Amino acid sequence: MRRSVVKQVMGPAMWTGLWAFTLFIGTVTTESTVNRGTPKHNPIQQRHKRDWLWKFLFLEEEKSNPPHYVGKLKSTMASDQTKFVIKGDGANSIFHVSRQGDIYAIKKLDREVKSTYYLTAHLLDIATNKSVEAAEPFNIKIIDLNDNNPVFPPSYNGSVLERSAAGTHVLTVTATDADDPTTANGQVEYKLLNGNDVFEIDESGKITTKIDFLDRETESAYIVVVHAKDMPGMKTGGSATTTVTITVGDINDNMATFKKKIYKFDVKEDEKENFKIGTVETEDKDEQQNKDPVFTIVADSTTEPRFTNVFKIERNPRKDGVLTLKQKLDFESRKAYTFDVYVREDNLQKPPDDQGAYANTKAKVIINVLDVDEPPVFSKDAYTFTLREDAKVSTKIGGVLARDPDAAQNNIRYSIDDPKCPVKIDPKTGTMYTDRKLDRELIPLYIFYVTAEEATPKALKSYVNVSLVVLDFNDNAPELTNFQDLFACENDGPGTVIGTIGASDKDDHPQRFSFSLAKPSPNFSLISDGSSTANITVTHGGFGLDDRREYLMEIVLKDSGSPALSSTTTTTIRVCSCGRDRKDYYCKPAYAQAGVSTSALIAILLCILTILVIMILIVLRKWYQKDTLDTLGKSSREIHEQLVAYDEEGGGEMDTNGYDVAILTSARNEGRLHLVPALYAAVKRPLADRGHVAAMIEAKKDAADHDRDSSPYDTLHIYGYEGAGSFTSSLSSLEMSSFSDSSLDYDFLSDWGPCFQTLAELYRPDISEK
């Protein structure tokens, strides 16, 4: 069935030529020249000039029910003792060869998978399985059948601007066919199934416009169907279709027009500049990005003023006209405005599609002004006044004026609310006066606000800025500068400049000063530069360091004000020993001017204060020592000693209940002086074993009672006894009974300073003892 279709498609003439070509290739033989000297029974050893008897074999694709005969291999060397073997693409898997060279296809083939198979043929000796002839390549070509239809993408999208010229390229469509493109099976032709009146397509799939009057406003998009068919020029063949959407792009070919003939708006008279009055709406069939309206305001009468100074119209993002105020309106002056508004488009494609809409490019605008109770209006936006600083209090400065813009013409009250302002104002007239003295050097400019308030229950207010500039008056004397630290060197000669003094003035006038000396100076002179400085020069040199004087100069400084003011300043000139660079390495002050610097004076006062504090402390210490001795002398009988045993496991060293202090203080030695108390004590709590502790206490008591040289004010502390079995020696000085304090001289303690004064007095020998 397929073959009959193919034959029908290809035609009888084509198949006849192809079959003759195949038979010709299969039957062509070339005679071989045999070497006559070679025996016929050994054909392998013969040398032949041979040629294979094939080159190309052909087989139709998609043949079912294999195997199918492809062709026959032939060779002049073939015999019953030889066999054919093939190798290469599909050998023995797709193609099979018999011993005699017959080739069969054992599988169904598809040209779109593989169109040509490349193989080699071998002629082998059956006995030895060796090649009789060298391998020879050959090809098996698969003959194409029209078994594939053209294929399109699902859809196409293209665009073209309206009013484009005929023949404008829109887009190109392409259908693919898997069949052999060298044959009619793989060739495709195109045609439009609709839209032929607007578009056309050529053999390559290129779609172009057929007309030059596309109009987006009439038809914004076209959907056309493209048909593709293989085997061009024949009625049979595969085909496919696709949908192409062509969008018509917009251009500015329609006029912008007003939606209404008359637009009315109401505006309050107190609306400020740039207030949006309203929108003059337009319509345009073109897309938003292609609209380009231009609006113009024209008075509807030649007698009307230029309303462009009062109103303006601009387009908004939606391409409509927006009316705004350029200046404030006044109901009392004008109650309504009427004017015309025009719209045009400079980039409009001509002629436009809607030429009959020219009448709608003009509209009338009526603006009614609404009356509003307005606050007072000042005659100026701001006021500026000047006044000299020497003006007296209550001097008139000037006045402000405000009026009620409404028809009622209400009275106005004026006030200044700033308490720091040096100006007062008449509440009825607005005239201003000074309220206190002015000083330009302190505040050269005052800025304040004047309030104007209507004398009505609503009390509408308005404010105006007032500036008061204080003018200068020459009321400050000039001051001398750079007149300190002047010195002359001992080797300065006549004409040497030892310093340059300057002048300054707080007043506001040209800074020109005159310098002069109140008294002539025999050693120095003053030379002015005529402006604001003067040089001090040496008149007679020969200064010496032995000269103990400091030279004084009284300089008179006078300004250029009217009236002129002057000041006198005294400056001191020292004589110094200088180097070549005129540095004052050494200066001697004069006796007349001798004094103490501030830092030195502070140091001297601190030293005096420190000495006074030390003396007061010494006196207080003396008084304290005297009171202590008197107290000890009077109450020596009441002073007693206390025995504390530290080796006991009792309540600690603060436990004094173990001993009766009264008994220790009651016993006295009859032979002693009344100023020396006896040192003895008795144990209140009887010990269970009067052992080492009892014996030690008795020994210490006895030593203390018989020691005349011991101090009567000591307290007996037992530090030396460590208990029975202790390996440490005693730390107490009480065991040194053989040592007598009387043998020591404690006078050296007086030389150790105030800290040891009290100790020295305690150990000073008593006159009564001596």
Side-chain angles (χ1 to χ4, degrees):
M1 179 68 180
R2 184 182 298 273
R3 181 177 296 180
S4 62
V5 174
V6 174
K7 287 183 177 179
Q8 183 180 0
V9 172
M10 298 182 64
M14 184 180 296
W15 276 105
T16 303
L18 182 60
W19 182 253
F21 178 73
T22 304
L23 293 177
F24 174 77
I25 291 178
T27 57
V28 171
T29 59
T30 303
E31 294 183 357
S32 299
T33 303
V34 180
N35 189 354
R36 299 182 181 275
T38 304
K40 292 182 179 180
H41 66 276
N42 192 2
I44 298 178
Q45 297 179 358
Q46 296 178 358
R47 296 180 61 84
H48 301 278
K49 182 181 180 182
R50 60 103 184 113
D51 193 3
W52 292 97
L53 302 180
W54 73 90
K55 197 66 174 178
F56 297 97
L57 299 178
F58 297 89
L59 180 65
E60 291 181 358
E61 66 171 334
E62 301 294 343
K63 294 184 70 175
S64 59
N65 300 322
H68 299 285
Y69 182 74
V70 179
K72 187 176 181 60
L73 302 176
K74 294 182 180 181
S75 176
T76 55
M77 300 298 294
S79 65
D80 295 338
Q81 303 300 320
T82 61
K83 66 177 180 179
F84 286 95
V85 178
I86 60 175
K87 295 181 180 180
D89 295 339
N92 302 318
S93 61
I94 299 176
F95 304 102
H96 177 72
V97 63
S98 65
R99 291 176 56 184
Q100 292 77 21
D102 295 315
I103 300 177
Y104 295 88
I106 60 177
K107 290 184 179 181
K108 184 178 178 179
L109 301 179
D110 187 357
R111 191 205 69 84
E112 284 71 39
V113 176
K114 192 172 183 65
S115 60
T116 303
Y117 293 86
Y118 300 93
L119 300 99
T120 56
H122 303 263
L123 185 62
L124 302 180
D125 186 278
I126 297 175
T128 63
N129 202 29
K130 294 183 179 180
S131 297
V132 176
E133 287 288 341
E136 184 72 15
F138 70 98
N139 299 335
I140 299 176
K141 290 185 175 293
I142 308 303
I143 299 174
D144 183 49
L145 296 179
N146 191 16
D147 57 345
N148 291 280
N149 294 328
V151 177
F152 271 120
S155 63
Y156 284 91
N157 293 287
S159 63
V160 62
L161 291 177
E162 60 179 335
R163 291 196 179 193
S164 295
T168 301
H169 176 247
V170 180
L171 78 160
T172 300
V173 297
T174 303
T176 59
D177 195 324
D179 292 325
D180 189 357
T182 61
T183 66
N185 297 335
Q187 297 175 0
V188 181
E189 64 180 356
Y190 303 93
K191 70 176 181 179
L192 297 178
L193 299 183
N194 67 323
N196 295 308
D197 56 338
V198 181
F199 305 100
E200 58 185 358
I201 189 169
D202 61 8
E203 65 278 359
S204 64
K206 181 179 179 181
I207 300 176
T208 57
T209 58
K210 197 174 182 178
I211 59 176
D212 58 358
F213 50 85
L214 288 173
D215 186 6
R216 186 198 67 85
E217 289 72 34
T218 302
E219 190 75 32
S220 61
Y222 294 87
I223 299 177
V224 297
V225 179
V226 180
H227 180 267
K229 175 184 169 299
D230 57 13
M231 302 195 67
M234 299 182 184
K235 294 182 179 181
T236 59
S239 63
T241 59
T242 187
T243 301
V244 179
T245 301
I246 301 175
T247 303
V248 181
D250 182 59
I251 62 173
N252 189 13
D253 59 348
N254 291 275
M255 299 174 58
T257 59
F258 292 111
K259 289 184 178 182
K260 297 188 297 185
K261 291 289 186 180
I262 300 176
Y263 293 88
K264 293 183 178 181
F265 304 99
D266 294 331
V267 181
K268 295 180 179 180
E269 65 173 333
D270 61 345
E271 298 294 353
K272 298 181 179 179
E273 297 178 8
N274 298 320
F275 169 74
K276 179 181 176 182
I277 298 173
T279 302
V280 180
E281 296 179 345
T282 61
E283 57 183 357
D284 193 334
K285 295 180 181 180
D286 295 323
E287 292 183 349
Q288 191 74 18
Q289 70 274 9
N290 294 317
K291 297 179 181 180
D292 190 24
V294 178
F295 300 93
T296 307
I297 296 177
V298 179
D300 60 354
S301 174
T302 56
T303 60
E304 293 285 352
R306 292 183 58 85
F307 289 153
T308 54
N309 297 330
V310 183
F311 308 100
K312 65 179 178 179
I313 183 169
E314 297 176 338
R315 69 185 185 188
N316 59 12
R318 296 183 57 185
K319 307 297 178 69
D320 293 325
V322 179
L323 281 168
T324 55
L325 277 178
K326 293 183 68 175
Q327 65 183 31
K328 293 187 65 174
L329 303 179
D330 186 9
F331 174 81
E332 287 72 27
S333 300
R334 190 183 183 100
K335 296 178 175 57
Y337 294 85
T338 302
F339 52 87
D340 295 329
V341 178
Y342 289 85
V343 62
R344 72 178 190 277
E345 291 189 87
D346 296 334
N347 297 323
L348 182 66
Q349 293 289 330
K350 297 180 180 180
D353 290 345
D354 50 352
Q355 299 185 38
Y358 273 111
N360 297 327
T361 59
K362 174 185 174 182
K364 185 179 293 294
V365 177
I366 300 174
I367 297 178
N368 297 317
V369 183
L370 303 180
D371 186 25
V372 177
D373 189 5
E374 300 175 276
V377 177
F378 283 95
S379 60
K380 296 181 180 180
D381 294 333
Y383 293 86
T384 301
F385 301 97
T386 58
L387 189 66
R388 282 191 12 164
E389 62 178 327
D390 61 335
K392 297 180 179 180
V393 178
S394 299
T395 300
K396 180 179 178 181
I397 300 174
V400 297
L401 178 63
R403 66 176 181 85
D404 183 4
D406 299 319
Q409 295 293 308
N410 296 312
N411 294 328
I412 306 298
R413 291 193 298 264
Y414 303 95
S415 62
I416 298 175
D417 298 330
D418 187 1
K420 297 181 180 179
C421 181
V423 179
K424 60 184 179 180
I425 189 169
D426 189 320
K428 294 183 179 181
T429 63
T431 304
M432 294 178 291
Y433 305 89
T434 57
D435 194 31
R436 57 176 179 266
K437 290 287 293 181
L438 304 178
D439 189 351
R440 190 204 66 85
E441 285 70 38
L442 294 179
I443 302 178
L445 175 64
Y446 292 92
I447 299 177
F448 54 92
Y449 291 92
V450 173
T451 303
E453 180 180 358
E454 290 184 0
T456 61
K458 290 185 178 181
L460 297 178
K461 298 179 181 180
S462 60
Y463 306 89
V464 70
N465 183 289
V466 178
S467 299
L468 175 59
V469 180
V470 182
L471 301 179
D472 182 55
F473 173 73
N474 192 24
D475 56 348
N476 291 276
E479 298 177 356
L480 200 64
T481 60
N482 301 329
F483 62 91
Q484 298 176 347
D485 297 328
L486 297 176
F487 64 91
C489 296
E490 58 181 344
N491 55 355
D492 284 344
T496 302
V497 178
I498 65 172
T500 300
I501 58 177
S504 64
D505 196 333
K506 296 179 181 179
D507 293 319
D508 184 17
H509 56 75
Q511 299 292 316
R512 293 191 301 272
F513 304 93
S514 61
F515 299 84
S516 61
L517 294 177
K519 298 179 181 179
S521 175
N523 300 92
F524 303 98
S525 59
L526 187 65
I527 302 175
S528 174
D529 64 353
S531 178
S532 59
T533 60
N535 294 328
I536 299 177
T537 60
V538 177
T539 304
H540 302 289
F543 300 105
L545 288 180
D546 294 336
D547 188 356
R548 310 294 288 182
R549 293 177 299 168
E550 288 186 351
Y551 298 91
L552 301 180
M553 293 182 65
E554 293 185 11
I555 301 175
V556 178
L557 179 63
K558 187 176 182 181
D559 61 18
S560 58
S562 179
L565 298 179
S566 62
S567 63
T568 302
T569 305
T570 301
T571 181
T572 302
I573 302 176
R574 300 169 296 158
V575 177
C576 302
S577 176
C578 308
R580 295 181 179 179
D581 52 358
R582 294 198 84 255
K583 297 294 183 181
D584 52 340
Y585 293 113
Y586 177 71
C587 289
K588 284 187 176 181
Y591 288 110
Q593 300 294 331
V596 181
S597 64
T598 303
S599 58
L601 181 61
I602 293 175
I604 294 173
L605 292 176
L606 289 176
C607 292
I608 295 174
L609 181 62
T610 303
I611 294 172
L612 289 175
V613 171
I614 293 174
M615 293 178 64
I616 292 172
L617 291 176
I618 292 174
V619 171
L620 292 175
R621 188 173 184 85
K622 288 289 186 179
W623 288 349
Y624 174 76
Q625 291 175 354
K626 181 177 181 182
D627 292 343
T628 303
L629 291 177
D630 293 341
T631 302
L632 290 175
K634 293 178 180 179
S635 59
S636 60
R637 295 183 179 181
E638 298 178 0
I639 296 177
H640 58 272
E641 294 78 26
Q642 181 173 312
L643 292 177
V644 180
Y646 287 90
D647 59 342
E648 201 171 69
E649 297 294 330
E653 64 180 88
M654 296 304 296
D655 188 2
T656 59
N657 296 325
Y659 309 99
D660 189 350
V661 179
I663 298 177
L664 292 176
T665 57
S666 61
R668 292 182 180 271
N669 192 337
E670 296 295 337
R672 292 189 179 185
L673 295 175
H674 66 278
L675 291 176
V676 182
L679 297 177
Y680 64 92
V683 180
K684 178 179 179 181
R685 181 177 59 199
L687 298 176
D689 183 6
R690 302 181 60 90
H692 298 286
V693 177
M696 183 272 300
I697 294 175
E698 292 297 333
K700 294 302 179 182
K701 286 168 53 182
D702 184 73
D705 293 340
H706 295 83
D707 188 3
R708 295 179 176 271
D709 297 328
S710 64
S711 175
Y713 311 114
D714 290 342
T715 298
L716 180 60
H717 295 278
I718 310 297
Y719 291 98
Y721 189 76
E722 297 297 331
S726 175
F727 294 99
T728 60
S729 58
S730 175
L731 300 177
S732 175
S733 61
L734 297 177
E735 293 183 352
M736 301 170 62
S737 59
S738 61
F739 183 78
S740 176
D741 290 340
S742 61
S743 62
L744 294 178
D745 186 4
Y746 294 99
D747 292 339
F748 65 89
L749 294 176
S750 301
D751 300 332
W752 285 11
C755 295
F756 295 90
Q757 187 66 29
T758 303
L759 186 61
E761 292 179 357
L762 292 175
Y763 280 88
R764 183 181 296 114
D766 196 344
I767 299 176
S768 60
E769 291 183 359
K770 291 180 180 181

